[in-house]
Amino acid sequence: EATTAIRGAIINAKLNVIPVRRGYWGSSFGDVHTVPMKVTGKCGSVSVRLVPAPRGAGIVAAKAPKRLLGFAGIEDVYTSSSGKSRTLGNFVKATFAAISKTYAYLTPDLWGQTVFTDSPFREHTDWLRNDGGKKDRRSRDDEEERR
């Protein structure tokens, strides 16, 4: 019975893998090392805020979030928590929620390529050059008046 529970836990863990976006603090020299922006995660009464930190600051967090952030590949980050953080399950889930929000924010480097089209004025310049076909109408009207 324990082996099926372990197997189920492994399958559940593999299904819940999330991408973790990392970024820089200050200039973009070297490898990415911290969270790209301030993010907040909440579970129950526990709220965890992750703040980008300069290179070399390390993971400034409690024991459980420090381990989770280390597994996520984040080397430098400041954390702030509020609520009943002694509830370890909610504390870790709030940290996980904050990490998962790193890909929720769309920054310019993730924007797709924009294809610009000509404006209608540029597209129909030949037609507009003839006053939008008014010259043709005027000439027809003049011919009708002459008759």
Side-chain angles (χ1 to χ4, degrees), residues 12-65:
N12 192 18
K14 287 180 181 179
L15 290 173
N16 288 320
V17 171
I18 58 162
V20 177
R21 185 158 168 228
R22 296 178 298 160
Y24 300 98
W25 183 88
S27 61
S28 58
F29 294 116
D31 293 332
V32 290
H33 62 96
T34 186
V35 289
M37 65 280 198
K38 296 176 186 176
V39 288
T40 305
K42 187 166 171 37
C43 181
S45 68
V46 182
S47 179
V48 174
R49 184 177 190 207
L50 304 178
V51 181
R55 194 176 300 278
I59 300 172
V60 182
K63 200 172 192 178

Side-chain angles (χ1 to χ4, degrees), residues 117-137:
T117 59
D118 287 338
S119 72
F121 296 117
R122 182 168 292 213
E123 189 176 335
H124 303 290
T125 52
D126 296 334
W127 187 77
L128 290 171
R129 195 172 292 138
N130 295 331
D131 293 330
K134 290 180 183 175
K135 286 184 180 177
D136 297 335
R137 285 189 216 128

Side-chain angles (χ1 to χ4, degrees), residues 59 65-75:
I59 300 172
K66 184 181 277 193
R67 222 163 151 198
L68 185 64
L69 292 165
F71 286 144
I74 296 171
E75 300 167 10

